[in-house]
Amino acid sequence: IDSLAGDGPAQLAEVMADGGTITSFGAMTEQPLHVPAALLLFRRMTVNGFWAAKPRLPPEEIGRLIGELVTEAAAGRLELPVAGTYRLE
C-alpha cells in the first residue's frame, strides 16, 4: 500500500514477492508513480489505485458497514491476525 507515489512504489516492489500487488491511494510527493516495466513484466507485479473519496457503495451501505465495525470493535471482536514477522536487515 503506497500513499506517496514517486520512486517509493519501485522501492517497495523491489522487496515484494513475485506476483505482488501495489495499491496506490495517494500522491503526497506530487510526483508520478514510478515502477520499472521489468518489475511488472518479469516479476508479474500488479499496480492498482484506490480513492476513498469515491466509494462504489451507496452512503446508506457505508453507514451500515461503519456501524457494524464500531459495534464489533467496541465488543472486542475484531482480530487482525499476524501471519509472520520478518527482520529488516
Side-chain angles (χ1 to χ4, degrees):
I1 297 177
D2 173 67
S3 66
L4 300 175
D7 291 329
Q11 295 170 1
L12 181 61
E14 290 288 343
V15 298
M16 290 173 52
D18 289 358
T21 299
I22 295 173
T23 298
S24 176
F25 68 98
M28 294 179 68
T29 62
E30 298 182 3
Q31 298 294 316
L33 189 139
H34 177 253
V35 177
L39 290 173
L40 299 175
L41 300 172
F42 304 127
R43 297 195 42 216
R44 301 179 330 273
M45 297 281 184
T46 301
V47 178
N48 61 36
F50 170 77
W51 189 241
K54 293 188 178 186
R56 296 181 182 177
L57 297 172
E60 299 80 20
E61 180 70 3
I62 293 170
R64 185 190 68 74
L65 291 169
I66 291 172
E68 183 180 323
L69 283 172
V70 168
T71 300
E72 294 295 307
R77 291 190 293 257
L78 290 184
E79 293 184 25
L80 299 173
V82 176
T85 59
Y86 307 92
R87 292 180 49 148
L88 297 176
E89 296 177 7

